[in-house]
Amino acid sequence: MSERDVDQQLVQRVQRGEKAAFDLLVIKYQRKIFRLLSRLIRDQAEVEDVAQEAFIKAYRALPNFRGDSAFYTWLYRIAINTAKNWLVSQGRRAPTSTEADIEEAETFDDGEQLRDLNTPDAMLLTKQVANAVNRAIEQLPEDLKTAIVLRELEGLSYEEIAETMNCPIGTVRSRIFRAREAIAEELRPVLNTTKDQRW
Amino acid sequence: MNKVPVVAAARPECERLSRLMDGELSPDEANRLLESLCVDTELRSHWAAYHVVGDALRSHEVAAEHSAAFCSRVAEAISREPTVLAPRAATRGLPLRRYLAPGLAVAASVAVISFVAVPLLRTTAPTPSVQQATIQPSIAPPTAEEGARRAAATVANARAMQAYLAAHRELTTGAALPRATPYLRTTTEQAEAR
């Protein structure tokens, strides 16, 4: 089951009245939506308010979502429209076209060009995240590092990774899982989450 | 020297969760795990952690946007919303069915005509010998007794008809010999009866 299928399964659960499934979608996409809205709205508190409004609008509109596009593409459009309306209501100029088009919604390659939009606090946190990730990666054994990079950055399937690394698929599963756990441990203090606390 | 990450305490579901995120679970396994995710808060915290890890590896900026309190706030707001219910979403195979079904129906019709109707027509089309065989019994000469019975019935019918026609002859429309017709018919039938 592909990532898109997983999203679609969660959407169908929400459509059957399971609110907790929507929670999982919020957990998954909140950072991407924040990042998107930060392009249009500078104040972080306002970004969170607009993001919350966008998620609630998405929840209300979910009965009409049929899965013709990816869930995130659909959510992205709702977030952009919510931000535009919010800017107009604040008497600010809303962009005539979305500076970030739909194709960009699927990528994360916006870090460099948007750095100047970040506040000093955000830049500091970004640096701390980068340090934590780099530290975690450096500490990983080589086979775990290769497996997680091939999966998360290169987008290879387990089968392809197994071929590349010349090992069984079961070993690939285990390596990726252990790498994720290790990086998560390193990120926890930076993102102010403890083991018991919700991410 | 690299240290080996310790994940001995992790639940087996966590490794399945990792596979779910990578699209490496079967639909059945994925559904079961999603069901657990909706009710198991500990498992859900791993779901969040693994997604942060993915975001952080791809973009430090995106990971830095993480807000631990945000999800709780949205969940609280959603809990106040009326539950959304939608009819069962259309399956992905719908367009396929839409175009495939009429085609199959046409193919089935052609198949029925080819394999059932055409052979049936061929076998029921009468060959000369068969026709002769089936007609023969019907032209067999009637017995003398049956002939007499038929003639008597015909005369009785003719008499009844004659009375009827005589009573209604005023109503008959113009024919070549309007008034002569009943008498002609009666005479003919009497001759046949003899």
Side-chain angles (χ1 to χ4, degrees), chain A residues 33-95:
Chain A
I33 293 297
F34 283 170
R35 191 67 193 157
L36 169 70
L37 295 177
S38 299
R39 298 173 175 196
L40 306 170
I41 302 163
R42 274 187 171 270
D43 185 88
Q44 187 60 24
E46 290 175 344
V47 166
E48 287 202 18
D49 287 346
V50 175
Q52 180 170 339
E53 196 183 331
F55 275 113
I56 291 169
K57 277 185 180 176
Y59 176 76
R60 288 175 184 157
L62 215 53
N64 302 321
F65 179 72
R66 287 283 168 267
D68 297 330
S69 62
F71 173 75
Y72 179 64
T73 309
W74 180 77
L75 179 65
Y76 176 100
R77 289 197 192 104
I78 291 175
I80 287 283
N81 288 333
T82 308
K84 279 183 178 178
N85 292 341
W86 185 85
L87 286 171
V88 169
S89 74
Q90 298 292 306
R92 300 185 214 171
R93 186 186 70 84

Side-chain angles (χ1 to χ4, degrees), chain A residues 1 9 15 19 23-24 31 34 48 52 60 115 125 130 138-140 151-152 158 177 180-181, chain B residues 2-3 7 18 22-25 31 44 46-47 50 55 58 61 64-66 73 81 86:
Chain A
M1 187 184 266
Q9 284 295 317
Q15 288 174 334
K19 287 182 175 179
D23 217 10
L24 297 173
R31 288 169 296 279
F34 283 170
E48 287 202 18
Q52 180 170 339
R60 288 175 184 157
R115 187 157 289 159
L125 187 55
E138 278 170 22
Q139 288 173 353
L140 285 178
R151 175 61 217 151
E152 291 284 13
Y158 283 12
F177 163 62
R180 280 194 171 120
E181 282 285 333
Chain B
N2 294 340
K3 71 175 180 185
V7 289
S18 172
D22 295 332
E24 299 280 348
L25 276 191
N31 274 325
R44 195 163 19 185
H46 284 271
W47 165 267
Y50 296 166
D55 286 356
R58 287 184 292 263
E61 285 80 7
E65 297 283 353
H66 183 79
R73 276 204 288 140
E81 290 285 317

Side-chain angles (χ1 to χ4, degrees), chain B residues 2-193:
Chain B
N2 294 340
K3 71 175 180 185
V4 178
V6 180
V7 289
R11 297 160 55 187
E13 289 94 333
C14 295
E15 187 176 325
R16 279 205 290 278
L17 183 58
S18 172
R19 286 166 56 198
L20 173 76
M21 289 180 53
D22 295 332
E24 299 280 348
L25 276 191
S26 69
D28 281 349
E29 282 179 305
N31 274 325
R32 276 199 298 275
L33 193 56
L34 287 174
E35 205 162 323
S36 303
L37 263 173
C38 287
V39 293
D40 187 334
T41 49
E42 192 195 330
L43 200 56
R44 195 163 19 185
S45 80
H46 284 271
W47 165 267
Y50 296 166
H51 278 295
V52 172
V53 168
D55 286 356
L57 285 168
R58 287 184 292 263
S59 164
H60 303 145
E61 285 80 7
V62 171
E65 297 283 353
H66 183 79
S67 165
F70 178 78
C71 292
S72 302
R73 276 204 288 140
V74 174
E76 204 182 313
I78 294 292
S79 71
R80 290 193 296 269
E81 290 285 317
T83 302
V84 298
L85 286 172
R88 182 178 290 273
T91 57
R92 290 198 169 279
L94 192 61
L96 186 68
R97 274 214 306 260
R98 187 177 171 182
Y99 296 109
L100 197 63
L104 283 175
V106 170
S109 307
V110 170
V112 166
I113 290 168
S114 309
F115 296 109
V116 178
V118 170
L120 205 62
L121 285 172
R122 280 188 185 148
T123 53
T124 55
T127 58
S129 61
V130 172
Q131 193 177 22
Q132 217 169 12
T134 52
I135 287 171
Q136 256 174 352
S138 70
I139 58 168
T143 60
E145 190 182 337
E146 192 184 347
R149 198 173 58 247
R150 277 187 193 174
T154 308
V155 169
N157 284 343
R159 281 183 185 148
M161 181 60 74
Q162 189 185 354
Y164 177 82
L165 290 172
H168 293 86
R169 68 179 169 233
E170 299 297 331
L171 300 173
T172 54
T173 53
L177 290 167
R179 285 174 191 278
T181 309
Y183 301 108
L184 288 174
R185 187 185 300 227
T186 306
T187 308
T188 311
E189 283 165 353
Q190 281 172 347
E192 279 177 1

Side-chain angles (χ1 to χ4, degrees), chain A residues 142-160:
Chain A
E142 201 60 38
D143 49 2
L144 270 65
K145 191 190 304 182
T146 307
I148 193 75
V149 166
L150 288 177
R151 175 61 217 151
E152 291 284 13
L153 300 183
E154 304 298 329
L156 266 57
S157 68
Y158 283 12
E159 197 178 343
E160 290 167 329

